[in-house]
């Protein structure tokens, strides 16, 4: 079954009195994405001027930083992040050394945000909205005026006043999503023919209308729930959604969501195997 064309889904949006997902910004601002997982999925591209992540078919430039650094172990005054940790924008000698020593995989997040959240390795406490200084070795490989994550973000030209204006005017639910999120989600999944954009499950694989609930609409940038632009949305089956990151795995451990996940895997296991879903072999209900 072919994917439903955009103009058809736009008509559907109009019919149910929902604004179309406007093309007001082609980029997504992201706080943190697990670097190793994205590289494993083939979404990371190393270039001379930096490291890029593929988002909705387009590569966006960003930086790397250790997601759980030692903070309180070496510096009790962690409210001021000065010398360490530092962020990296190219495959510098420090990154190469960590790769060679086996200290790279699973340790880094990718981001293009002006500030990020750090989680202390020892106690797990979160320190949000921190601006990191750039690695000296990275700085020596680029010809740009960059000192910290905020100045690097300014180079990316991702800020859009129109987005902020829309945020102010948009009414939200308790999860800080637009009040018409369910309708937006339904329209987007219809646009994708209720097909997972990760593993390809969906469409004719789904046995009945009720089972369309097993296809979710995922926010790529989980900190921008008001951004319903296509670049920030992705249709995912329940199993792929569960494995998106640690935050989603934690959410899906809640009894109601875990039950839905188990039902989905049990009912459609053969189809998921046929679609070569990368998570089906390791899933335990």
């Amino acid at each position: 079954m072919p994917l439903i064309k955009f103009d058809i889904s736009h008509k559907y949006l109009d019919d149910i009195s929902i604004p179309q997902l406007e093309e007001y910004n082609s980029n997504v601002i992201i706080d943190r994405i697990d670097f190793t997982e994205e590289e494993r999925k083939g979404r990371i591209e190393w270039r001379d001027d930096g490291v890029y992540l593929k988002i909705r078919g387009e590569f966006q430039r960003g930086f790397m930083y250790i997601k759980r650094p030692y903070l309180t172990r070496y510096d009790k005054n962690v409210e001021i992040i000065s010398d360490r940790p530092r962020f990296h924008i190219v495959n510098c000698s420090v990154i190469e050394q960590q790769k060679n020593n086996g200290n790279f995989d699973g340790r880094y997040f990718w981001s293009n945000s002006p500030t990020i959240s750090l989680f202390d390795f020892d106690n797990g406490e979160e320190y949000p909205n921190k601006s990191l200084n750039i690695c000296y070795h990275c700085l020596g490989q680029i010809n740009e005026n960059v000192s910290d994550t905020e100045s690097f973000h300014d180079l990316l030209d991702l800020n859009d006043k129109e987005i902020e204006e829309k945020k102010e005017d948009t009414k939200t639910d308790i999860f800080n999503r637009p009040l018409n999120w369910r309708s937006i989600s339904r329209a987007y999944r219809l646009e994708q023919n209720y097909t997972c954009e990760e593993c390809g499950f969906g469409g004719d694989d789904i046995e009945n209308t009720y089972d369309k609930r097993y296809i979710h609409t995922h926010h790529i940038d989980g900190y921008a729930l008001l951004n319903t632009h296509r670049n920030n949305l992705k249709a995912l089956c329940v199993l792929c959604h569960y494995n998106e990151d640690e935050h989603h795995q934690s959410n899906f451990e809640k009894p109601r969501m875990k039950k839905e996940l188990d039902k989905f895997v049990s009912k459609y296991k053969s189809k998921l195997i046929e679609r070569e879903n990368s998570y089906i072999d390791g899933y335990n209900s």
Side-chain angles (χ1 to χ4, degrees):
M1 181 182 294
L3 290 178
I4 296 175
K5 295 181 179 180
F6 283 168
D7 56 349
I8 297 176
S9 61
H10 289 167
K11 182 179 183 304
Y12 171 72
L13 285 169
D14 293 337
D15 290 344
I16 59 178
S17 300
I18 297 175
Q20 294 182 14
L21 308 181
E22 299 180 26
E23 303 291 336
Y24 59 83
N25 185 32
S26 60
N27 297 294
V28 179
I29 299 174
I30 295 176
D31 181 358
R32 56 183 184 268
I33 291 286
D34 189 284
F35 190 93
T36 300
E37 181 67 16
E38 295 305 304
E39 190 169 36
R40 184 187 67 79
K41 294 177 179 179
R43 296 177 184 162
I44 294 293
E45 186 171 292
W46 297 88
R47 301 181 185 177
D48 292 339
D49 66 336
V51 58
Y52 288 72
L53 172 66
K54 192 174 186 179
I55 302 175
R56 302 289 295 152
E58 297 182 1
F59 280 99
Q60 295 188 28
R61 188 185 183 198
F63 61 87
M64 302 166 286
Y65 67 99
I66 296 176
K67 52 187 174 183
R68 293 185 181 86
Y70 297 114
L71 294 176
T72 55
R73 182 177 298 192
Y74 300 112
D75 189 354
K76 299 303 181 182
N77 187 17
V78 294
E79 292 305 317
I80 302 176
I81 305 298
S82 55
D83 188 56
R84 62 175 181 267
R86 289 179 175 264
F87 74 97
H88 303 266
I89 59 176
V90 293
N91 193 28
C92 69
S93 58
V94 174
I95 295 297
E96 283 290 346
Q97 182 180 24
Q98 293 193 353
K99 288 181 178 179
N100 293 335
N101 294 338
N103 294 324
F104 181 82
D105 288 349
R107 297 185 68 213
Y108 280 84
F109 277 138
W110 183 97
S111 178
N112 58 8
S113 176
T115 60
I116 51 88
S117 294
L118 294 174
F119 295 84
D120 184 63
F121 182 86
D122 292 318
N123 59 31
E125 186 174 349
E126 180 180 3
Y127 297 88
N129 303 319
K130 298 300 179 184
S131 176
L132 302 183
N133 291 331
I134 190 171
C135 160
Y136 296 115
H137 299 275
C138 288
L139 193 58
Q141 291 185 218
I142 63 171
N143 185 29
E144 293 175 312
N145 185 22
V146 177
S147 60
D148 53 25
T149 50
E150 292 179 280
S151 59
F152 176 75
H153 174 79
D154 290 340
L155 290 176
L156 303 180
D157 194 27
L158 290 172
N159 297 311
D160 194 325
K161 293 182 180 179
E162 191 172 354
I163 292 180
E164 298 304 319
E165 292 171 358
K166 284 179 176 290
K167 285 183 179 179
E168 294 178 2
D169 296 336
T170 303
K171 295 181 180 179
T172 61
D173 61 17
I174 60 173
F175 301 106
N176 202 33
R177 302 175 304 196
L179 283 179
N180 59 350
W181 166 246
R182 289 195 178 190
S183 298
I184 292 173
S185 171
R186 184 169 62 252
Y188 181 79
R189 287 178 290 149
L190 174 65
E191 194 171 81
Q192 304 304 319
N193 194 29
Y194 287 90
T195 299
C196 178
E197 296 178 74
E198 189 68 45
C199 71
F201 171 88
D204 291 341
D205 296 332
I206 299 175
E207 295 181 4
N208 56 65
T209 300
Y210 184 63
D211 283 356
K212 289 179 179 179
R213 75 187 191 280
Y214 292 134
I215 303 295
H216 295 177
T217 302
H218 166 67
H219 282 86
I220 295 173
D221 180 2
Y223 290 85
L225 299 183
L226 288 180
N227 181 1
T228 57
H229 177 266
R230 290 180 186 80
N231 279 4
N232 197 38
L233 301 180
K234 182 165 61 172
L236 293 176
C237 72
V238 181
L239 184 58
C240 287
H241 203 187
Y242 166 73
N243 284 282
E244 190 65 24
D245 53 39
E246 294 177 359
H247 173 71
H248 284 81
Q249 289 175 359
S250 176
N251 281 343
F252 273 89
E253 289 302 322
K254 296 174 183 177
R256 180 185 65 80
M257 299 183 72
K258 187 64 165 60
K259 185 176 180 181
E260 284 292 287
L261 176 59
D262 291 342
K263 284 182 179 179
F264 170 66
V265 172
S266 176
K267 182 171 184 176
Y268 288 104
K269 185 173 184 178
S270 61
K271 281 292 183 182
L272 292 167
I273 293 174
E274 181 182 326
R275 294 291 183 181
E276 298 182 352
N277 182 292
S278 57
Y279 306 112
I280 187 63
D281 290 339
Y283 181 76
N284 295 312
S285 59

